[in-house]
Amino acid sequence: MVKRFLLKKMGKVIWFTGLSGSGKTTIASAFCERLNSCGKKVFILDGDEIRSKLHKHLSFSREDIKENNHLIAMMAKEKISEFDFILVPIISPYRDDRQAARNLLGENFIELFVDTSLKECIKRDVKGLYKKALNKEIANFIGVSDSNPYEFPRVPDIHLNTENLSIDECVSIILEYL
Ligand code: ADP
């Protein structure tokens, strides 16, 4: 007999990794709108937002980045049965931390690389943070400081190069993948 209560619905977690200003939030929001218009239940777990509201105690040290990534992966896991998609825009610069999130979430985890070069991110400088980091007003800035390199995904599930693609094209590529 099939035990129906065991057949819990499982959503997908799309983990948007990339440098600050690469386009993670922008693409996740556009994708969320598209999914909502198809009647899908979507939740955005925004790395920056959670850091500033819930994880204020965490710094940008290697250990704290790991902890922040881990806690957010756990949050996604808790919500996975309530939503069709959980979108997680989070820099998550270290391969080991992303692999740990994949291990935790299993086959529901989709790694999406928002591939925008450091040069382009510095040019965009949406939040003015690169200017500060380059002037050494911010320490440990990911991708700029030697202490926090960005380790690009070698084989992401989805790869978006935002320097060649519009936001709409990025959304279409994600939909095609799914
Ligand atoms: P992140 O969340 O990665 O820190 P944001 O989404 O906040 O980055 O900012 C990315 C910026 O890049 C936005 O101002 C966005 O309009 C711009 N941008 C330009 N082209 C693209 C593109 N193809 N995809 C995503 N963002 C783009």
Side-chain angles (χ1 to χ4, degrees), residues 20 51 58-62 64-65 91 93-94 128-149:
S20 174
R51 235 185 201 283
L58 295 175
S59 70
F60 283 88
S61 70
R62 176 71 192 93
D64 281 4
I65 289 175
I91 301 175
Y94 293 103
L129 296 175
Y130 282 101
K131 192 172 173 216
K132 288 189 181 166
L134 291 167
N135 286 337
K136 308 236 181 297
E137 289 166 47
I138 305 177
N140 295 338
F141 198 75
I142 295 165
V144 172
S145 162
D146 290 340
S147 61
N148 266 333

Side-chain angles (χ1 to χ4, degrees), residues 16-29 46 48 89-91 114 116 120-121 124-127 129-130 160-170:
F16 293 68
T17 175
L19 288 167
S20 174
S22 56
K24 302 179 296 297
T25 310
T26 305
I27 298 169
S29 304
D46 186 288
D48 280 348
I90 178 170
I91 301 175
V114 182
T116 309
E120 175 65 17
C121 291
R124 288 183 193 167
D125 206 6
V126 205
K127 298 158 202 159
L129 296 175
Y130 282 101
L160 302 174
N161 184 330
T162 74
E163 289 166 67
N164 300 327
L165 298 164
S166 68
I167 296 164
D168 275 353
E169 285 169 329
C170 291

